[in-house]
Each structure stands twice: as C-alpha cells, then as structure tokens.
Amino acid sequence: MAQDLFGYRIRKQFSSIDSLITELVITRKYICSAKAGLSHCREHLSMASEAGGQTGSEQDFMKSQEQLLNRLNLVEKKIKKQLRESARELGHICSQDRAARHSSKRKA
C-alpha cells in the first residue's frame, strides 16, 4: 500500500515537471519571437527616424514590445524556480521511498 502511494506521488511529480518543462519551452519560443520582433521594430524605427522622424504610436509600440519581453523573462524565471522546487520535492519523495524500503527490509 505504501509503495503504491510513493509510486503515485513520484508519477504525479514527474507529470508536474513535464508540464513545467513544456511551459518553459513555449515561453522561450515566445521570448525568441519577441526578441526578433523587437529587433525588427528597432530597425524599422531607425529607418523611419532617418526618413522623417518617429511617431508617438511607434514609440509606444516599441515600449510595449520591451515590456512584453521583460514580462516573458519574469515568467521564465518563475517557471525555472518552480522546476527547481519540483525537482527538490521529487528528490525528497525518492529519499522517503528508499528509507521506507530499507526499513521494511530490516523488519523482514
């Protein structure tokens, strides 16, 4: 019975880690896309300023792109922290499982 509980907890933790990794990969793709978009905006705005100046809406768009990139970087950090915590929890569960197996072998 205890082994089933440990098995369930381990599978649940692996599922959580798998989900976080998927979320991290998607977030990183968004970050790469936002960086490319920001680079494209900078190029466009530099050409526009040479041609006749930037409009306020272009500058606002640039700021919103930078804010998006900053928020995505914060999300990435948050996911990485959750991954570390999940990995730590998985290690704790595995050490409990080993301890339980070791004590059951002593009793037998």
Side-chain angles (χ1 to χ4, degrees):
M1 179 72 175
Q3 290 302 96
D4 292 338
L5 178 62
F6 281 119
Y8 168 76
R9 289 176 64 197
I10 289 171
R11 284 190 305 276
K12 182 179 175 195
Q13 207 61 35
F14 271 122
S15 174
S16 173
I17 289 171
D18 184 51
S19 173
L20 287 168
I21 289 171
T22 301
E23 192 175 339
L24 182 62
V25 167
I26 292 169
T27 302
R28 284 188 175 163
K29 286 189 182 247
Y30 278 131
I31 288 171
C32 289
S33 177
K35 283 180 181 177
L38 190 58
S39 174
H40 180 71
C41 285
R42 284 185 181 133
E43 289 174 16
H44 176 73
L45 291 177
S46 68
M47 288 189 294
S49 67
E50 290 173 4
Q54 298 177 352
T55 65
S57 63
E58 290 173 333
Q59 289 174 345
D60 289 343
F61 183 73
M62 187 73 166
K63 283 183 183 179
S64 69
Q65 287 290 310
E66 289 172 354
Q67 289 173 345
L68 172 66
L69 187 58
N70 289 335
R71 286 189 300 250
L72 285 170
N73 284 325
L74 289 174
V75 168
E76 181 185 28
K77 285 181 183 180
K78 178 183 167 191
I79 294 170
K80 285 180 177 180
K81 181 180 177 185
Q82 290 174 332
L83 267 170
R84 283 191 302 271
E85 290 171 358
S86 290
R88 203 174 300 127
E89 178 66 23
L90 180 61
H92 181 70
I93 291 168
C94 289
S95 66
Q96 286 178 338
D97 183 37
R98 272 181 277 173
R101 286 183 188 189
H102 185 67
S103 68
S104 68
K105 286 182 181 178
R106 279 186 182 170
K107 290 178 183 177

